[in-house]
Amino acid sequence: MSRIRTTTAWSAAAAFALILTGCGPAGAGDGAEYDPDEKVSLDFAWWGNDDRAARYNELIAAFNKEYPNITVKTTFTDFPSYWEQRQVEAASGSLPDVFQFSDSYLRQYGESGAILDLAEVADQIDFTTFEDALLGTGRLDGVQYSLPTGYSLWANFVNQDLLEAQGLDLPEGGSTFEEFDDWLAEVTDATGGDPFGGTDYTQRIQVFELQLRAAGKALYTPEGELGFTEQELTDFWQSGAGLRDGVTIPQQQLEEISPVSGFGATRTMSEMSWSNFLGGYLADSGASSIAIVAPPTAEPGAKDLYRQGGLQVAIS
């Protein structure tokens, strides 16, 4: 659908985006051009697994009971492939009408005009149902580009079924990284690597970010420049050398089972990720119980953890 669109299509996209965030449309617009009965077809894309697809399909079925004139065509893929496809579509001006979004791409897609300023469909969105701090995660330079579906926290997941089978204890929440590394080694030693204690967390930029925050720094400056030095990043990567020497699951094994994670495939006892991954982890692993404990911290008492806007929804 081109940038020049009917009010009906925009309003339909706004209504659909709101259904996905658990809210209803605020109003019917000014009535001058908006025809709520016009037949509209919308493309909707997301990243995720079959479990998420089933949940979205249930939402779309409920949406169609109220809006039978709107046909929603869906596509989904794993996270890395998802953004590769969006990059190609953004370059050609063919992004899906509504798509799952991440604030990591807010500046890239917002400044280029690839996603809609939601003020243009403000009569279809009741922004008062969102906490302003949450709304702010989808805002850039005062422009609201996306709707967040909720908060998420960086967390440490542990498969309690596997843990209890080995007679091991949970890691201490909020431990130091050295203490957590010792726990990872203890698990791998006890299991012989079936499963490994966890995944090399120095692969994750979020862990690097939390270490920077504990030291009063950030990934980026207010001007959008890098907030860390080359040496700080090098030191962070090198800190995982001991983990990569037989303690955590080898990268080659992760590539063999991709897009399922080592934790989802029960190849690891633990994994750090966003708290809203819980549903996917339960579905992939088949575990009856997964514990979430606070991740390690670089400085005792440091305010490094924060609430991040979870999955977001944007309109092209």
Side-chain angles (χ1 to χ4, degrees):
M1 193 174 291
S2 68
R3 181 69 179 170
I4 303 174
R5 317 169 69 177
T6 65
T7 302
T8 298
W10 262 344
S11 298
F16 182 60
L18 279 170
I19 289 293
L20 295 177
T21 60
C23 307
D30 58 17
E33 300 176 56
Y34 175 45
D35 179 2
D37 297 320
E38 182 177 336
K39 290 187 180 299
V40 176
S41 177
L42 296 176
D43 294 319
F44 172 55
W46 73 86
W47 69 83
N49 57 13
D50 291 338
D51 178 70
R52 177 172 290 172
R55 295 171 187 267
Y56 269 139
N57 287 333
E58 289 178 8
L59 283 172
I60 292 168
F63 173 81
N64 280 142
K65 288 182 179 179
E66 185 170 354
Y67 301 95
N69 57 305
I70 301 176
T71 300
V72 181
K73 301 176 181 178
T74 64
T75 58
F76 76 98
T77 185
D78 61 278
F79 187 81
S81 300
Y82 180 86
W83 288 107
E84 291 173 2
Q85 291 180 18
R86 301 294 86 78
Q87 295 271 37
V88 172
E89 293 164 348
S92 62
S94 59
L95 281 166
D97 299 301
V98 184
F99 61 106
Q100 203 167 265
F101 193 68
S102 168
D103 58 0
S104 301
Y105 294 86
L106 190 59
R107 185 171 297 278
Q108 178 181 346
Y109 284 76
E111 288 185 341
S112 66
I115 49 180
L116 183 68
D117 174 357
L118 296 183
E120 297 191 36
V121 287
D123 57 347
Q124 300 299 313
I125 301 175
D126 184 1
F127 290 106
T128 65
T129 63
F130 296 85
E131 182 182 341
D132 189 64
L134 178 59
L135 268 180
T137 62
R139 191 182 298 142
L140 178 66
D141 297 331
V143 178
Q144 192 73 46
Y145 285 110
S146 60
L147 292 175
T149 62
Y151 282 119
S152 188
L153 291 168
W154 190 247
N156 191 14
F157 293 87
V158 182
N159 188 319
Q160 287 191 286
D161 293 353
L162 299 179
L163 195 73
E164 292 172 3
Q166 295 290 336
L168 299 171
D169 297 323
L170 285 168
E172 188 72 27
S175 66
T176 65
F177 280 92
E178 291 76 12
E179 291 170 336
F180 182 61
D181 290 352
D182 290 341
W183 180 87
L184 290 172
E186 176 188 353
V187 171
T188 300
D189 287 344
T191 65
D194 185 21
F196 288 90
T199 305
D200 173 18
Y201 55 76
T202 62
Q203 296 178 354
R204 303 300 298 269
I205 193 174
Q206 293 87 354
V207 178
F208 181 49
E209 178 186 19
L210 295 183
Q211 292 192 9
L212 289 173
R213 285 173 58 86
K217 300 180 180 181
L219 281 175
Y220 304 101
T221 68
E223 294 73 33
E225 302 296 326
L226 294 179
F228 56 89
T229 66
E230 181 178 341
Q231 188 59 52
E232 285 173 325
L233 180 58
T234 300
D235 290 344
F236 173 68
W237 279 335
Q238 290 180 343
S239 71
L243 298 176
R244 293 187 288 272
D245 188 19
V247 173
T248 55
I249 184 172
Q251 182 63 29
Q252 181 178 346
Q253 289 194 28
L254 291 175
E255 292 173 359
E256 290 172 353
I257 61 176
S258 179
V260 179
S261 68
F263 187 78
T266 66
R267 301 280 188 91
T268 68
M269 189 76 75
S270 70
E271 184 165 290
M272 292 188 210
S273 192
W274 294 108
S275 59
N276 61 359
F277 276 48
L278 178 59
Y281 279 152
L282 285 168
D284 287 342
S285 68
S288 65
S289 179
I290 292 178
I292 300 179
V293 298
T297 184
E299 297 289 341
K303 295 183 178 179
D304 50 348
L305 292 177
Y306 62 94
R307 295 189 302 176
Q308 184 195 49
L311 299 179
Q312 309 229 1
V313 181
I315 300 174
S316 64

